[in-house]
């Protein structure tokens, strides 16, 4: 079975660079889809309180027959749980839903500056981290100015920042800030909800290397050093998205794909979104 490269986080925890995303997978389909991913070889599963499918993710992990230590599980704080005490209670609910003895990574899902104080929320995550119930903590959808405020007011540097990244939104400034502060970048919406799959540049490269446009795009993420987690409920697509480690893109390919940037989002702008 293919071995997925690991990224070493700033606290020495190892995270598989390729994971399986469960955003928008209905709970009724999540257990089966996650089991299919684990059978294919994925060892990194990404969920969130907002997705409503933590319970089914946990069931799949437990039913997979894999050692718990071999599966990296991430969840994220719901937007209605900002604030110290609310965040602590929300984490307890996540653990109850998952049915696991520990979490590998817990994230603040959105900064929501107009709703509450994400620094106060982060201090709750620091407590959870120190308790040992999660191996790492991080953030999602944070811009550099959010991260600067967090770093100025906190003791634990986020292990990751999970942001929207794809060829039409390369996020070079956010990724560079993360690299400067040893915050790993995770890419959500890695193929821009399918928008990049018809791109002529990506298709030309795909034809040359004998791969699909999705595989080329995901390989672009991998070679740029980001953590990426495509999602699908189709077994064939799940397997296709995993087949990324027996080919390489040239530096020229990487540059051409990166040059497609339009600063075009498929999701919310973190500076405008307040849940």
């Amino acid at each position: 079975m293919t071995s997925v490269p690991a990224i070493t986080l700033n606290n020495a925890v190892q995270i598989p660079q390729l994971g399986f995303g469960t955003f928008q997978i209905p709970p009724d389909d999540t257990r089966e889809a996650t089991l299919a991913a684990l059978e294919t070889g994925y060892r990194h599963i990404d969920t969130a309180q907002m997705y409503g499918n933590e319970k089914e993710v946990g069931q799949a992990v437990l039913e997979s027959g894999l050692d718990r230590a071999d599966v990296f599980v991430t969840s994220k704080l719901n937007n209605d749980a900002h604030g110290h005490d609310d965040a602590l209670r929300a984490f307890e609910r996540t653990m109850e839903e998952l049915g696991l003895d520990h979490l590998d990574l817990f994230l603040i899902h959105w900064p929501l500056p107009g709703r509450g104080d994400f620094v106060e929320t982060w201090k709750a995550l620091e407590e959870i981290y120190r308790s040992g119930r999660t191996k790492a903590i991080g953030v999602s959808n944070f811009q550099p100015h959010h991260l600067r405020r967090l770093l100025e007011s906190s003791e634990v540097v986020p292990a990751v920042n999970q942001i929207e990244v794809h060829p039409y939104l390369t996020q070079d400034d956010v990724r560079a800030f993360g690299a400067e502060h040893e915050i790993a970048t995770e890419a959500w919406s890695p193929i821009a909800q399918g928008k990049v799959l018809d791109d002529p540049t990506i298709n030309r490269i795909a034809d040359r290397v004998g791969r699909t446009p999705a595989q080329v795009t995901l390989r672009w993420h991998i070679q740029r050093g980001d953590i990426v987690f495509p999602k699908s409920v189709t077994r064939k697509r799940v397997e296709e998205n995993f087949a990324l480690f027996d080919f390489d893109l040239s530096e020229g390919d990487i540059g051409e794909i990166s040059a497609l940037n339009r600063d075009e989002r498929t999701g919310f702008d973190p500076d405008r979104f307040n849940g």
Side-chain angles (χ1 to χ4, degrees), residues 51-118:
Y51 302 169
N53 57 18
E54 290 175 310
K55 180 179 179 179
E56 291 74 18
V57 165
Q59 288 173 344
V61 171
L62 292 171
E63 293 173 20
S64 68
L66 295 167
D67 190 316
R68 173 67 186 91
D70 293 335
V71 183
F72 194 102
V73 181
T74 299
S75 194
K76 312 177 197 74
L77 183 72
N78 209 35
N79 290 343
D80 65 0
H82 271 246
H84 180 272
D85 293 347
D86 287 344
L88 292 178
R89 284 190 291 267
F91 179 78
E92 294 298 332
R93 289 195 297 272
T94 276
M95 298 311 294
E96 290 173 9
E97 287 291 301
L98 287 168
L100 303 176
D101 61 355
H102 73 274
L103 195 60
D104 295 282
L105 179 63
F106 193 52
L107 309 179
I108 296 178
H109 206 152
W110 288 88
L112 305 180
R115 174 176 287 206
D117 183 1
F118 57 74

Side-chain angles (χ1 to χ4, degrees), residues 152-164:
E152 289 168 358
S153 309
S154 308
E155 296 180 14
V156 180
V157 176
V160 308
N161 185 19
Q162 186 178 121
I163 57 176
E164 181 179 355

Side-chain angles (χ1 to χ4, degrees), residues 19 28 43 89 96 129 155-156 205 220 229 245 248 260 275:
D28 288 347
R43 295 294 181 265
R89 284 190 291 267
E96 290 173 9
Y129 173 60
E155 296 180 14
V156 180
I205 294 170
W220 170 79
F229 31 87
F245 304 104
D248 287 295
L260 298 173

